[in-house]
Amino acid sequence: MALPREGNGRAPTAIRAVVRGEVQDVGFRAAAVHRARELGVMGWVRNGDDGTVGVHAEGPAPAVEEFAAFLRDGPPLARVCEVTVDRVAVEGHEQFAIRGVSAGAFVVQEHSARAHHFDLRLEVEGVMRSWALPKGPSLDPAVKRLAVQVADHATTHNTFEGSLGEGGVIVWDRGAYEQGGRVAWPAALTRGHAVFVLHGEKLHGGFALQRTRPGAPAQWLLIKRRDEYARPGSDIVAEHPHSVLSGRTLEEILE
Ligand code: MN
């Protein structure tokens, strides 16, 4: 199917495509990234749970049309049976990313110090970027939780649990996370709006960190995105107080 050209060819256009056939485990995503970069197309590619490859592509109409032609052929090892293409709104992507893949570790440590708080840490370029959450995370999208940026930590601290100074630490949740959003990381953090997906034992689904006040320390809000893992009205911190490492609560550590 040829996509109709629009205007002078420089107006951005966007498509969502689903590619069916033998398209996973054949280098499709890497080839899509390569072709998108050649063409100046932005968006993302991800493997679907049903064996398909899903794509969002946007850019100048001729480039998006070229990219759609690539999807119909696929990389050499792929056998494409069908590509369905829908026109969608341009979203303003500034990268072409592989979605649905781990970007590294995340951990949430409950920490009793001068003030009780939770530390959210996301692995970015080999270090754990960190935010202190006085009230901890929430799975309720209506709840915006203050997140004060704190010093980066080493990945070796991710499994630390026990007494620390006058207080203590437990590993409240941990797992892997995916980077999301329209802007590549770590630029997204530098610009103050970062979207990510957590795959923890307690925390699941999309979250956004939105910087509300720059400076030292920078203040952010952590907000659950509305998805299948959102739980309006819930209080995950109260419901699940135990360490995912030892099963102990912070109070038990402090005894
Ligand atoms: Mn802390």
Side-chain angles (χ1 to χ4, degrees):
M1 175 188 100
L3 294 169
R5 289 171 186 269
E6 290 178 351
N8 60 10
R10 286 194 295 272
T13 188
I15 59 168
R16 286 285 170 99
V18 177
V19 185
R20 293 181 177 81
E22 294 172 30
V23 293
Q24 291 193 2
D25 303 315
V26 292
F28 207 116
R29 292 172 300 177
V33 169
H34 183 79
R35 192 74 185 110
R37 288 180 184 160
E38 284 178 341
L39 291 167
V41 165
M42 305 296 168
W44 48 258
V45 59
R46 71 180 307 144
N47 280 348
D49 295 334
D50 54 356
T52 62
V53 168
V55 171
H56 177 93
E58 61 183 47
V64 171
E65 186 173 340
E66 276 289 301
F67 190 73
F70 156 80
L71 295 177
R72 287 189 288 273
D73 290 336
L77 295 177
R79 297 178 66 180
V80 176
C81 296
E82 183 192 20
V83 182
T84 55
V85 177
D86 291 315
R87 265 187 198 289
V88 295
V90 173
E91 297 178 347
H93 290 266
E94 298 181 18
Q95 63 176 338
F96 193 90
I98 298 177
R99 289 280 173 83
V101 294
S102 172
F106 92 91
V107 65
V108 177
Q109 285 163 311
E110 186 179 5
H111 183 190
S112 162
R114 277 177 298 180
H116 171 259
H117 62 275
F118 292 76
D119 290 297
L120 167 66
R121 310 189 198 280
L122 300 173
E123 184 179 0
V124 180
E125 297 183 320
V127 301
M128 302 304 293
R129 301 290 293 268
S130 299
W131 292 261
L133 306 162
K135 294 185 176 175
S138 174
L139 293 177
D140 184 344
V143 171
K144 297 175 168 66
R145 286 287 161 84
L146 174 64
V148 179
Q149 197 169 338
V150 293
D152 297 348
H153 275 55
T155 55
T156 50
H157 186 67
N158 289 352
T159 53
F160 176 78
E161 181 165 303
S163 303
L164 185 66
E166 305 277 296
V169 173
I170 62 167
V171 178
W172 182 82
D173 197 17
R174 65 174 176 176
Y177 84 101
E178 300 170 26
Q179 297 171 344
R182 293 167 293 191
V183 177
W185 293 48
L189 288 173
T190 305
R191 285 161 57 170
H193 182 73
V195 174
F196 52 98
V197 179
L198 298 181
H199 300 281
E201 297 184 35
K202 300 174 184 176
L203 300 178
H204 302 276
F207 288 80
L209 274 166
Q210 175 68 49
R211 191 169 55 214
T212 54
R213 203 174 84 183
Q219 289 188 6
W220 301 62
L221 293 172
L222 177 69
I223 306 159
K224 179 75 191 74
R225 287 167 71 85
R226 295 179 193 281
D227 59 21
E228 62 197 293
Y229 300 104
R231 288 185 33 218
S234 68
D235 185 352
I236 186 76
V237 164
E239 291 161 24
H240 295 286
H242 297 91
S243 164
V244 295
L245 206 58
S246 65
R248 294 184 294 177
T249 64
L250 185 56
E251 285 65 35
E252 288 166 350
I253 293 278
L254 297 174
E255 278 171 5

